[in-house]
């Protein structure tokens, strides 16, 4: 079986080549008839290239069971040969270039570029060679790993146990492929908040260390296979600092990885571990320990930095300038209390560090970076002078929203601009460290935006423990290499392609759909952010229960697909698909049952109260069980300690929610509560012929002895999911309307529930506008006291001034969101109807008045600008809505609410003077604003976490009940 069709993540110029592999019969054969083609790399080539060639040797063996010979001299005779070399470092490659037989016109002199080409008679005695030639050492390395991916070795073969399919015959395409320069020069990760990684490393890799060279070797290899080149190493107290073991920087250099350090680690110094012993050795004349405060001890601190610069001068390093406090704390300046004074101190610090680098490292001290993170951003904006050849690394708000982007002047700086972006985070207002929960469409939106603003020199992603961020990291690295590869409409295509390479192309689309829904649910509420009472269990068909219904169906899809996979794929599937979905499901489920338990206490339920308590605790126990399986059973216990929602030294995921049990009462009694009511039945169940709703009635026992019950509607067109029976605890009855039988107009009806000698009448309010009314409507229809609109469902989009609204699929809480683009556009502040890009929504109102309109904006920031849009009804004057533009870093404020909920709710009012059809208009004010949903409260909207189900629309939402009546668990 030939290794064709297993296309890797390649830049935009290569998928055609990869697809051609399935039909190209003139491919280059690497293994056939029990023999593997030898590999050649010149001994004079870079050590990183020679080492990577050894990985290709191992990869061929992984696929075929045959280990090719890795040669450093050309064979005297060979029918085929894989010839690897770097331009300028490989005499054979240079000769082929000079003879015009190897086309490097788009590669030579470029950054990390490569060409793979079949060359006939490349050397005396060699008939044909697959030549992998790079513009520099990493270019060659990436060319090598491209070949590994083409033969079916995933970058995640070790880190996620993706199996390698065995093949007796192995052929790669013969067509020339060229990997051009990456979109971003330095692409890498920050291993951070890494307690689980440390625990795992200590238990399984290096019992005498807490992340040492053996672990870093695996990390370096993964980075290179993902086409990354840069690392900020682990830095917390429970990890060994990177330079503790001299093998670490030596290995990084041998692999070709550039090692830098994070924002609190100036000049590669790990303050958590290294400052205390340095201070001990440099006590003051009075015996006192020096403070890590440049206004107090500049000489001691300067010497501390200089020692590391001298020690690591020979390695390929990145040098972080500036200063923060020890262990990710704020800058300490005892003798500089005002902002201008602190700015002056920071300027002195940078000048000192530059002098150290010039003296100890010289011209090789590149790149140098400055990271205006948290309080340092305020100082930078107040006047810190960063030399023009230093790269500015712009941080996000730790939740995936860039705080500010470079101005035109900053874009012109020769040092360029980069970003520090979180896929995992410990800190305010809440941490998310357990699972990969940031929507890829959100990552795409922000990375696209930063690239358009010229931040293309360095992208660093905080990935926590690495494990669980596999999908997000793969996508981020792919964007880093070729930012144009994926567009607003096809982020899910990335998922399909990526999953197809891990599990087989026939499963790629289903896994992509599963991951897309998983990310959507996390966009509603990250599983790490769940808490008591956030989601309503009484409104909108049981908001929390409908969400659990979505999770339940998602988990069913996961299990169905997992059952189809061969046994060899089960570990990888568990790590990459099943555990994240199942874990998120159970984290939500235990809090759902806990909320139902608390409500049951208020409602006076008997046995059912304890039932909900049991279900909540069972969900928590099952969550612990699946985590134990990950750590002790998957891959034979290989990942012991790598996944833990409740680590001891860093923020934990929500744990076991408290529940209440009631004492047994040997009685029975009837209790009834209806949708929209916390207790009782006062709020009538509302039904509309447009939305064709289902509403629930909870019938329960106030005691513990079994009882009989019955329910009877007052009208024949009222349907019940069940009409009676016997129970000990409770049941949920769904009420629907037979719209073909109900007369037109507004009607009152009842459902009478009896049991245990008691009788309760449930009121219903039914409005039927008839089938003709449904057909006549052209827009969204008001019902139940509100209009709810998915923002992507605009009836018309109007482009103006070179700007427009585009759909970003998979972004936000629904199927997608609309974004005002281009992100570099000039803001519009007046004359919106003639100057601003516009979205128009037809809305049919049945009532009149002045109504609040809430626009659900997806958070984005601009700390030197604004986050605005405008809203109008018909031809009325537009109202400007101003969103939060600054990340304050405080718990409980507007920014905190926005990032916790994943939306910002901006509210204006519109006046409806006549019932009937109107046009709601949404205008761009500032670019890169994304809108998810729009809700108009016409007098009946309850307060809930999520927006209500989308209203009826004849085109976009013609049958709401089939989509929105997601059954909550019926306990």
């Amino acid at each position: 079986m030939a290794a064709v069709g297993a296309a890797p993540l390649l830049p935009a110029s290569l998928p055609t080549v990869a697809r051609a592999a399935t039909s190209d019969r003139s491919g280059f054969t690497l293994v056939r008839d029990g023999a593997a083609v030898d590999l050649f790399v010149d001994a004079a080539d870079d050590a990183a290239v020679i080492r990577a060639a050894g990985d290709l040797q191992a990869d061929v063996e992984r696929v075929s069971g045959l280990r090719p010979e890795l040669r450093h001299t050309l064979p005297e005779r060979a029918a085929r040969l894989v010839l690897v070399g770097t331009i300028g470092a490989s005499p054979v490659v240079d000769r082929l270039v000079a003879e015009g037989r190897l086309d490097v016109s788009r590669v030579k002199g470029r950054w990390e570029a490569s060409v793979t080409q079949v060359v006939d008679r490349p050397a005396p005695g060699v008939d044909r060679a697959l030549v992998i030639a790079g513009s520099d050492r990493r270019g060659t390395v990436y060319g090598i790993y491209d070949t590994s991916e083409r033969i079916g070795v995933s970058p995640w073969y070790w880190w996620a146990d993706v199996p390698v399919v065995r093949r007796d015959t192995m052929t790669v395409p013969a067509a020339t492929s060229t990997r051009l320069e990456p979109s971003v020069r330095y692409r890498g990760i920050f291993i951070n908040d890494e307690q689980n990684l440390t625990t795992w490393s200590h238990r399984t890799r290096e019992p005498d260390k807490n992340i040492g060279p053996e672990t870093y070797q695996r990390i370096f290899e993964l980075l290179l296979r993902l086409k990354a080149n840069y690392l900020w190493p682990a830095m917390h107290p429970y990890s060994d600092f990177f330079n503790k073991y001299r093998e670490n920087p030596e290995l990084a250099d041998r692999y070709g990885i550039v090692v830098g350090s994070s924002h609190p680690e100036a000049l590669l110094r790990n303050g958590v571990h290294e400052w205390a012993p340095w201070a001990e050795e440099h006590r003051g004349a009075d015996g006192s320990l020096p403070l890590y405060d440049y206004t107090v001890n500049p000489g001691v601190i300067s010497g501390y930095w200089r020692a590391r610069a001298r020690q690591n001068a020979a390695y390929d390093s990145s040098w972080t300038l500036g200063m923060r406090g020890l262990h990710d704390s704020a800058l300490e300046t005892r003798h500089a209390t005002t902002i201008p004074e602190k700015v002056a101190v920071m300027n002195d610090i940078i000048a000192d560090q530059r002098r150290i680098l010039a003296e100890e490292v010289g011209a090789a001290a590149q790149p140098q970076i400055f990271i205006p993170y948290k309080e340092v951003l305020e100082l930078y904006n107040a006047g810190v002078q960063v030399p023009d050849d230093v790269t500015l690394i712009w941080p996000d708000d730790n939740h995936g929203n860039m705080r500010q982007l470079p101005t035109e002047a900053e874009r012109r700086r020769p040092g360029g601009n980069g970003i520090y972006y979180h896929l995992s985070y410990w800190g305010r207002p809440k941490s998310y460290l357990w699972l990969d929960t940031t929507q890829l469409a959100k990552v795409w939106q922000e990375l696209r935006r930063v690239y358009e603003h010229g931040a293309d020199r360095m992208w660093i992603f905080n990935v926590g423990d690495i494990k669980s961020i596999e999908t997000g990291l793969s996508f981020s690295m792919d964007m880093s290499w070729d930012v144009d590869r994926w567009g607003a409409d096809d982020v899910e295509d990335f998922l399909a392609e990526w999953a197809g390479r891990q599990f087989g192309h026939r499963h790629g689309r289903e896994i992509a759909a599963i991951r897309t829904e998983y990310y959507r649910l996390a966009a509603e509420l990250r599983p790490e952010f769940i808490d008591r009472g956030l989601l309503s269990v009484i409104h909108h068909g049981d908001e929390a229960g409908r969400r659990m219904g979505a999770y339940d169906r998602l988990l069913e899809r996961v299990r169905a697909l997992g059952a189809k996979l061969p046994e060899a794929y089960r570990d990888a599937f568990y790590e990459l698909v099943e555990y994240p979905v199942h874990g998120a499901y159970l984290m939500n489920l235990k809090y759902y049952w806990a909320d139902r338990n608390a409500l049951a206490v208020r409602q006076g339920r008997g046995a059912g109260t304890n039932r909900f308590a049991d279900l909540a605790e069972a969900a928590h126990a099952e969550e612990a069980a699946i985590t134990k399986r990950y750590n002790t059973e998957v891959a034979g216990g290989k990942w012991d300690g790598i996944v833990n929602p409740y680590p001891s030294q860093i923020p934990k995921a929500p744990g076991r929610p408290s529940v209440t049990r009631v004492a047994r009462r040997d009685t029975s009694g009837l209790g009834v509560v209806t949708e929209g009511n916390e207790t009782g039945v006062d709020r009538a169940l509302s039904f509309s012929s447009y939305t064709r709703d289902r509403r629930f009635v909870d019938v329960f026992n106030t005691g513990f002895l079994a009882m009989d019950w019955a329910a009877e509607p007052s009208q024949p067109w009222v349907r019940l999911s069940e009409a009676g029976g016997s129970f000990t605890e409770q049941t949920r009855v769904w009420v629907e309307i037979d719209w073909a039988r109900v007369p037109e107009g507004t009607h009152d009806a009842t459902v009478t529930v009896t049991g245990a000698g008691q009788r309760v009448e449930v009121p219903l309010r039914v409005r039927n506008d008839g089938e003709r009314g449904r057909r006549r409507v052209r827009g969204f229809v008001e019902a139940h006291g509100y209009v709810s609109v998915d923002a992507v469902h605009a009836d018309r989009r109007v482009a103006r001034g070179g700007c427009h609204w585009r759909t970003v699929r998979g972004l936000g809480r629904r199927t997608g969101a609309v974004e005002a683009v281009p992100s570099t556009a000039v803001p519009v502040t007046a004359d919106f109807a003639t100057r601003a890009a516009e979205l128009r929504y037809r809305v049919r109102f049945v009532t009149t008045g002045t109504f609040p309109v809430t626009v659900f904006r997806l958070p984005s920031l601009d700390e030197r600008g604004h986050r605005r849009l405008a809203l109008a009804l018909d031809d009325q004057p537009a109202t400007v809505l101003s969103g939060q533009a600054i990340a304050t870093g405080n718990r409980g404020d507007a920014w905190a609410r926005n990032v916790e909920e994943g939306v910002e709710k901006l509210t204006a009012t519109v006046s409806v003077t006549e019932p009937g059809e109107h046009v709601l208009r949404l205008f761009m004010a500032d670019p890169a604003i994304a809108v998810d949903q729009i809700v108009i409260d016409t007098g009946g909207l309850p307060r809930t976490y999520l927006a209500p189900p989308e209203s009826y629309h004849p085109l976009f939402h013609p049958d709401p009940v089939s989509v929105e009546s997601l059954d909550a668990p019926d306990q």
Side-chain angles (χ1 to χ4, degrees), residues 282-608:
H282 295 81
R283 287 181 176 270
D286 60 354
S288 62
L289 285 171
L291 298 175
Y292 193 65
D293 182 335
Y294 197 81
T295 68
V296 176
N297 297 293
V300 176
I301 294 171
S302 181
Y304 171 71
W305 291 331
R306 183 178 293 274
R308 177 52 42 76
R310 182 180 298 138
Q311 188 180 39
N312 281 35
Y315 303 125
D316 197 355
S317 302
S318 168
W319 303 92
T320 298
L321 305 182
M323 189 175 182
R324 295 191 72 224
L326 296 174
H327 197 191
D328 201 7
S329 59
L331 177 69
E332 294 185 32
T333 52
R334 177 185 295 178
H335 301 310
T337 58
T338 67
I339 293 297
E341 289 172 342
K342 292 180 180 181
V343 166
V345 171
M346 188 65 75
N347 287 335
D348 289 343
I349 289 169
I350 293 172
D352 188 10
Q353 292 168 337
R354 296 269 287 180
R355 183 166 50 251
I356 290 169
L357 291 175
E359 294 170 358
E360 300 295 341
V361 186
Q366 292 293 334
Q368 297 175 27
I369 65 175
F370 178 78
I371 312 161
Y373 185 78
K374 290 192 175 179
E375 79 284 348
V376 180
L377 180 61
E378 181 182 10
L379 299 183
Y380 174 81
N381 287 337
V384 169
Q385 298 299 306
V386 180
D388 280 351
D389 62 337
V390 174
T391 304
L392 295 172
I393 304 296
W394 302 99
D396 69 346
D397 65 344
N398 309 308
H399 291 261
N401 308 295
M402 295 306 301
R403 295 182 64 168
Q404 66 186 48
L405 295 171
T407 63
E408 182 61 38
E410 288 162 342
R411 288 196 288 270
R412 290 195 298 266
R413 300 170 66 261
N417 297 268
I419 63 167
Y420 169 40
Y421 194 87
H422 287 75
L423 300 174
S424 173
Y425 175 62
W426 167 5
R428 295 179 179 178
K430 287 187 177 179
S431 306
Y432 53 103
L433 302 169
W434 177 37
L435 300 175
D436 173 17
T437 53
T438 301
Q439 274 185 315
L440 296 195
K442 172 67 175 179
V443 177
W444 178 88
Q445 179 199 21
E446 289 292 299
L447 296 188
R448 182 76 240 178
R449 181 181 169 212
V450 303
Y451 189 80
E452 290 169 353
H453 280 77
D456 60 2
R457 189 63 57 88
M458 182 181 290
W459 287 2
I460 305 128
F461 298 92
N462 189 317
V463 297
D465 294 304
I466 298 177
K467 287 296 286 180
S468 91
I469 308 291
E470 298 97 339
T471 308
L473 173 56
S474 295
F475 181 70
S476 299
M477 288 299 104
D478 199 49
M479 284 283 290
S480 304
W481 188 277
D482 185 357
V483 75
D484 295 321
R485 174 79 192 278
W486 307 106
D489 289 331
D490 51 25
V491 172
E492 191 169 330
D493 292 343
F494 160 83
L495 281 168
E497 183 180 302
W498 185 81
R501 285 199 315 280
Q502 318 310 319
F503 301 103
H505 288 287
R506 65 183 176 141
H507 301 302
R509 277 289 161 197
E510 175 64 0
I511 293 174
I514 288 169
R515 288 292 297 194
T516 297
E517 176 67 354
Y518 162 81
Y519 283 127
R520 186 194 70 79
L521 290 165
E524 288 184 343
L525 178 63
R526 291 188 197 262
E528 297 92 342
F529 292 1
I530 192 73
D531 204 348
R532 299 295 297 267
L534 285 180
L535 294 151
S536 173
V537 294
I538 63 174
H539 294 300
H540 303 315
D542 184 350
E543 175 183 75
R546 289 173 50 247
R547 178 173 156 84
M548 289 315 309
Y551 261 122
D552 197 51
R553 286 188 299 280
L554 185 63
L555 186 58
E556 287 178 5
R557 292 176 71 177
V558 168
R559 287 169 170 162
L561 178 57
K564 297 177 184 177
L565 293 173
E567 184 64 32
Y569 289 89
R570 297 293 171 83
D571 288 339
F573 187 75
Y574 192 81
E575 296 168 42
L576 297 176
V577 181
E578 184 175 348
Y579 179 82
V581 171
H582 200 177
Y585 164 79
L586 291 170
M587 186 66 71
N588 281 268
L589 185 64
K590 67 186 180 184
Y591 276 85
Y592 173 69
W593 291 128
D595 282 348
R596 292 284 301 271
N597 168 257
L599 181 60
V601 172
R602 297 193 294 273
Q603 292 171 340
R605 300 195 191 200

Side-chain angles (χ1 to χ4, degrees), residues 24-57:
D24 187 350
R25 299 187 180 278
S26 62
F28 187 90
T29 300
L30 295 174
V31 175
R32 186 171 60 195
D33 299 330
V37 173
D38 290 351
L39 313 178
F40 166 80
V41 58
D42 197 289
D45 214 318
D46 191 271
V49 173
I50 296 172
R51 193 213 56 78
D55 278 353
L56 179 57
Q57 178 189 31

Side-chain angles (χ1 to χ4, degrees), residues 538-825:
I538 63 174
H539 294 300
H540 303 315
D542 184 350
E543 175 183 75
R546 289 173 50 247
R547 178 173 156 84
M548 289 315 309
Y551 261 122
D552 197 51
R553 286 188 299 280
L554 185 63
L555 186 58
E556 287 178 5
R557 292 176 71 177
V558 168
R559 287 169 170 162
L561 178 57
K564 297 177 184 177
L565 293 173
E567 184 64 32
Y569 289 89
R570 297 293 171 83
D571 288 339
F573 187 75
Y574 192 81
E575 296 168 42
L576 297 176
V577 181
E578 184 175 348
Y579 179 82
V581 171
H582 200 177
Y585 164 79
L586 291 170
M587 186 66 71
N588 281 268
L589 185 64
K590 67 186 180 184
Y591 276 85
Y592 173 69
W593 291 128
D595 282 348
R596 292 284 301 271
N597 168 257
L599 181 60
V601 172
R602 297 193 294 273
Q603 292 171 340
R605 300 195 191 200
T609 302
N610 295 350
R611 175 65 170 160
F612 291 144
D614 293 342
L615 289 168
E617 295 197 337
H620 182 77
E622 187 175 0
E623 177 205 294
I626 68 168
T627 299
K628 182 179 180 181
R629 176 187 169 190
Y630 198 130
N631 287 312
T632 62
E633 298 178 24
V634 168
K638 172 181 176 181
W639 299 113
D640 189 12
I642 198 70
V643 170
N644 183 3
Y646 313 110
S648 62
Q649 298 185 51
I650 60 176
K652 301 165 180 56
R656 176 185 288 138
S658 61
V659 293
T660 300
R661 286 182 168 80
V662 296
R664 178 179 176 85
R665 301 185 298 274
D666 288 330
T667 61
S668 62
L670 176 68
V672 180
V673 64
T674 56
E675 179 176 336
N677 297 286
E678 184 167 291
T679 60
V681 299
D682 289 346
R683 181 168 177 159
L685 297 180
S686 175
F687 297 87
S688 166
S689 59
Y690 293 103
T691 51
R692 296 182 175 176
D693 317 274
R694 298 172 73 225
R695 304 295 185 192
F696 69 82
V697 177
D698 280 350
V699 183
F700 58 87
N701 189 348
T702 61
F704 284 74
L705 298 181
M707 61 170 281
D708 296 329
W709 69 279
E712 183 177 358
S714 64
Q715 298 292 341
W717 35 261
V718 176
R719 294 174 173 174
L720 305 179
S721 61
E722 56 181 312
S726 178
F727 59 51
T728 302
E729 297 169 352
Q730 58 226 343
T731 191
R732 175 162 283 182
V733 179
W734 289 97
V735 183
E736 294 181 278
I737 304 301
D738 184 348
W739 295 104
R741 299 177 66 187
V742 63
E744 291 190 17
T746 301
H747 309 276
D748 291 324
T750 60
V751 173
T752 302
V753 183
T754 57
Q758 297 165 280
R759 172 190 177 93
V760 178
E761 287 196 351
V762 175
L764 282 60
R765 173 60 60 90
V766 181
R767 177 171 178 139
N768 183 16
D769 282 0
E771 196 57 38
R772 285 182 303 171
R774 255 178 156 247
R775 289 197 300 266
R776 284 198 303 266
V777 169
R778 295 191 298 168
F780 292 95
V781 180
E782 176 194 353
H784 316 303
Y786 64 81
V787 181
S788 182
V789 177
D790 287 1
V792 295
H793 291 157
D795 290 283
R796 186 181 174 193
R797 304 184 186 203
V798 181
R800 293 192 183 102
C803 301
H804 67 282
W805 291 88
R806 71 176 170 200
T807 295
V808 182
R809 288 176 53 203
L811 179 63
R813 293 175 164 188
R814 305 294 288 174
T815 58
V818 285
E819 180 189 21
V821 291
S823 68
T824 53

